[in-house]
Amino acid sequence: MSTSKIINGFEHVSYDRDTYAPEEMTQRTSDFYSWLDSRRSVRDFSNRPVPRNVIENLILAASTAPSGAHKQPWTFCVVSNPEMKAKIRQAAEQEEYESYNNRMSEEWLDDLKKIGTDWNKPFLEIAPYLIVVFKKVFDLDEDGTKHTNYYVNESVGLASGMLLAAIHKAGLVALTHTPSPMNFLKNLLGRPENERPFLLIPVGYPAEEVYVPKLERKPIEQVSQWYD
Ligand code: IYR
């Protein structure tokens, strides 16, 4: 049972969660790592419907992310409307066509060869849901007053990572898609002046048969430096 007390004039609640002995921690973290390691970005979606309440749960999970001064500076726009998905696809492909043909460097295009992407984005219409993550660069009162948000990119990045983990937990798949530039999303979805598009994430079941590139993840020595 959690207890509550006033600290510096604000209500606090006791933090009392389970802790684990080292062996159990080792098991739990190893299991969790294996499970996260089995997540892959998927570009081939089934059009099979996904229950709406599942998408709500995913967003609630993402929205538990820590954020600067607990401002939760994000809006998850959920698009299932076929006409809107078609408009988003059309606009995204237009930008991507331009990027692949005229804006991306040779090195960049070369780096993407192993992933096999191009300007075609059929998944934007096939996936049952597109979650468009917007960051709120500031908050807007009803009367139009602006309020600062803090560490917005960090906060929204964390929430997006948690969203991807939640999607994996559901047994669904996603793609962190970054059409560039992305401002068309703000216009198409009629978002307010304080919001900027951050990521476009199609969500759904994987297509019947899906292949993903055989990628290696860096070993611990390459992703960490220890100062004992
Ligand atoms: N935004 C483009 C290009 C692209 C860029 C990176 I970095 C990727 O990892 C994958 C794709 C697209 O979505 O195709």
Side-chain angles (χ1 to χ4, degrees), residues 43 96 100 104 108 112 115 117-118 121 177-179:
R43 291 176 166 75
E96 292 292 271
Y100 276 89
M104 289 155 77
W108 192 350
L112 289 180
I115 304 179
T117 55
D118 61 26
K121 305 297 173 192
H177 181 38
T178 50

Side-chain angles (χ1 to χ4, degrees), residues 21 40-42 51 60 82 139 174 176:
R40 292 298 308 264
S41 292
V42 167
L60 288 170
D139 273 340
T176 33

Side-chain angles (χ1 to χ4, degrees), residues 42 45 55 58 62 76-79 88 123-124 127-134 156-157 159-165 167 173-179 182 185 198-204:
V42 167
F45 290 81
I55 303 293
L58 298 176
F76 298 93
C77 291
V78 184
V79 181
I88 290 175
F123 52 77
L124 293 175
Y129 285 104
L130 306 178
I131 301 182
V132 191
V133 185
F134 283 84
V156 184
S160 299
M162 294 176 73
L163 177 66
L164 295 180
I167 292 166
V173 294
L175 177 67
T176 33
H177 181 38
T178 50
M182 280 204 273
L185 291 166
F198 188 76
L199 286 175
L200 169 48
I201 306 182
V203 183

